[in-house]
Structure formats: C-alpha cells, structure tokens
C-alpha cells in the first residue's frame, strides 16, 4: 500500500499545472478589477487635491516629483509590504502633507477635506483588493476540484451514485469526529494531541471501509482490507506524501523565492490531499483486480 500510494502521488504530479492555471486565471481577473480601480481612484484623489488647494500656489510638477520620490524610497525588496504601506491612509496622509507643506504655510485648514479624499481613495482600493482575493480564492477552489477530477480519472473511478454516497458519509463522519475532538478539548486542552492522532487513525479506518463498500463488497474479504496493518500503512503513506510535499515546497522557496514557492506549493498541496483521499480506494481496486486475475 505504501509503495502504491507514493506511486499515485508521483504519477499525478503531472497535473500540477491545472490548479496553477486556475489560480493564475483568478489572479488575472482580480487584477483586471484592481488596476483600473487604483488608477481611477488615484485620478480622483489628484482632482480632489487640486480642488482642495485651488486657492494655493502649488507647483503640480514639483508635487508629483515629491510624491514619486516618496514611493521610490519605500523598501521594494519586500514588495507586498511596500504596496501595503503605500496604500495605507496614514502613509498617504503623511506623504501628501509633507509634499504640500512646501507650498502651503499651514495645513490645518486643509486637513479635514484632504483626509476625506484619502479615505475615499483607501476604501475604493481596499474593496478592489477584496475582489482580487475573492477571485484568487475561487481560482484555488476551482483548481482543487479540477485536479481532483483529473487525479481520480487517472487513478480510480467511481459512479456518480457512489460519489454521492461517499461524500455524504465523509461529511457526516467528519463533522462527528471534529465535534468529538472539540468537546474533548473543552474538557482537557492537551487532549488535542491525542485526538488528532486518533482522528487520523479513525479517518484511515473509515477510508478503507468506505473503499471496501464502494469497490470491494462481495469481491474481497472485508478483513483483508479493514485491519490494523492497513490502517497503519495508510497513515504512514499519508504522512510520507505530506512530508514530500513540504520538502518540495521548501526546495522551491530556496531555489526561487517565497512567492513562487507559495504559488506552486498550493497546487502541490492540493494534489497531495486529493491523492491521500483516494489511496484507500486505489488499494482496494488493485486488490480486487488481483483477486479476479486481472493483474499477475
């Protein structure tokens, strides 16, 4: 079972580009909203500043150069932090006040309308960032179900009726186990370590029993599938797959950078969990085939 489970994981790594594609597509859709909103909001902010300081003698070219210099002074070696700071209310207020103070003797009169203009800008940009995050999340979710479809088709198939049955059983038992673990945690907080271990064991037993019902009933002996030895083997191969995935992600981060590692790592983790979810079924299908003389 261990060798077969690892083989399932390795041969299905070829589907890594499918979730990467859906995540990238979600990111592109999100950027198609974010970039126009930032540009439109920035233009609105500029027009608001012009209107607020219409009576002041301001050199707009010098003002623009001052703001651009402030942007360039940010720590762009950490781009996400730099963008986060650049679009924050406090940084924008401080930067504009410092740039405008060259042309205005006192900023006190202009503080309230300038703050309102900056708040409007920040709210619009924040809403656009929320849209970007939502599209990326949809890309991740879509990638998971897409890779699940490809991995299952490549490894082990089941009918729609069996799919519905398995999902109902998985959902009910998952909620039950989580509820029991949470209840035990309220009684004794250190029980979480014991609960997590037994949860893996219980999930393994359930996965094997479910695989027997779906693929092996009346074809193989239940005791040959649902036993302590197979539960332990399933637990071991699941841990090995997770460990290999973690190692691959760390290598990607070392070879490239954190962002590439996370981007590709999401796809690798999705494949890992999908394969973990079908390893028990794959084992039963192969065992049934052996018993029926399909395999030597």
């Amino acid at each position: 079972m261990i060798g077969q489970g690892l083989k399932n994981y390795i041969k299905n790594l070829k589907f890594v580009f499918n979730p990467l594609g859906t995540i990238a597509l979600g990111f592109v859709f999100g950027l198609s909203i974010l970039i126009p909103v930032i540009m439109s909001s920035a233009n609105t902010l500029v027009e608001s500043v012009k209107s607020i300081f219409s009576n002041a003698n301001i050199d707009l070219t010098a003002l623009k150069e001052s703001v651009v210099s402030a942007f360039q002074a940010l720590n762009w070696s950490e781009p996400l932090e730099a963008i986060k700071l650049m679009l924050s209310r406090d940084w924008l207020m401080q930067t504009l006040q410092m740039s405008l103070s060259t042309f205005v003797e006192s900023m006190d009169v202009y503080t309230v309308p300038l703050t309102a203009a900056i708040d409007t800008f920040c709210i619009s940009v924040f809403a656009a960032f929320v849209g970007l995050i939502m599209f990326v999340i949809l890309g991740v979710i879509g990638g998971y179900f897409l890779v699940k479809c490809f991995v299952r088709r490549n490894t082990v198939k089941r009918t729609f009726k069996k799919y519905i049955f398995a999902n109902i059983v998985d959902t009910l038992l998952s909620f039950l186990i989580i509820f029991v673990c949470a209840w035990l945690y309220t009684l004794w907080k250190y029980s979480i370590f014991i609960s997590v271990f037994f949860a893996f064991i219980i999930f393994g037993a359930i996965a094997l029993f479910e695989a027997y019902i779906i693929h092996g009933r009346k074809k193989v002996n239940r005791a040959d599938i649902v036993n302590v030895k197979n539960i332990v083997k399933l637990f071991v191969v699941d841990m090995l797959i997770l460990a290999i995935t973690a190692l691959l992600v760390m290598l990607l981060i070392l070879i490239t950078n954190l962002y590439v590692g996370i981007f590709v790592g999401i796809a690798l983790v999705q494949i890992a969990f999908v394969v973990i979810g079908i390893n028990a079924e794959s084992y039963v299908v192969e065992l049934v085939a052996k018993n029926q003389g399909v395999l030597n």
Side-chain angles (χ1 to χ4, degrees), residues 117-192:
I118 290 173
D119 285 343
T120 300
F121 172 81
C122 291
I123 290 170
S124 299
V125 172
F126 177 77
F129 266 108
V130 171
L132 171 64
I133 293 169
M134 288 181 63
F135 273 109
V136 171
I137 291 173
L138 287 174
V140 172
I141 294 172
Y144 174 78
F145 284 104
L146 182 64
V147 79
K148 186 176 182 179
C149 175
F150 284 128
V151 169
R152 179 165 289 281
R153 189 176 65 181
N154 188 52
T155 308
V156 57
K157 299 178 181 180
R158 60 187 179 192
T159 62
F160 183 72
K161 182 179 179 181
K162 291 178 178 179
Y163 170 80
I164 296 297
F165 167 77
N167 275 274
I168 292 173
V169 172
D170 288 343
T171 302
L172 292 175
L173 290 176
S174 296
F175 274 114
L176 178 62
I177 292 171
I178 292 170
F179 174 79
V180 172
C181 290
W183 176 69
L184 290 173
Y185 179 77
T186 61
L187 299 178
W188 182 42
K189 63 180 181 179
Y190 295 108
S191 68
I192 189 67

Side-chain angles (χ1 to χ4, degrees), residues 18-32 135-136 139 263:
N18 296 106
L20 288 180
T22 60
I23 296 169
L25 188 63
F27 190 72
V28 169
F29 275 118
L31 285 179
S32 69
F135 273 109
V136 171
F263 178 60

Side-chain angles (χ1 to χ4, degrees), residues 201-236:
I201 300 300
I202 293 170
F203 274 120
I206 292 170
L208 288 168
F209 182 73
E210 186 180 284
Y212 165 75
I213 294 296
I214 293 173
H215 300 287
R217 192 163 62 94
K218 296 181 180 180
K219 299 175 183 177
V220 291
N221 190 346
R222 179 174 58 82
D224 293 336
I225 296 173
V226 186
N227 54 59
V228 175
K229 182 180 179 181
N230 282 342
I231 292 171
V232 172
K233 284 183 177 180
L234 188 62
F235 175 79
V236 170

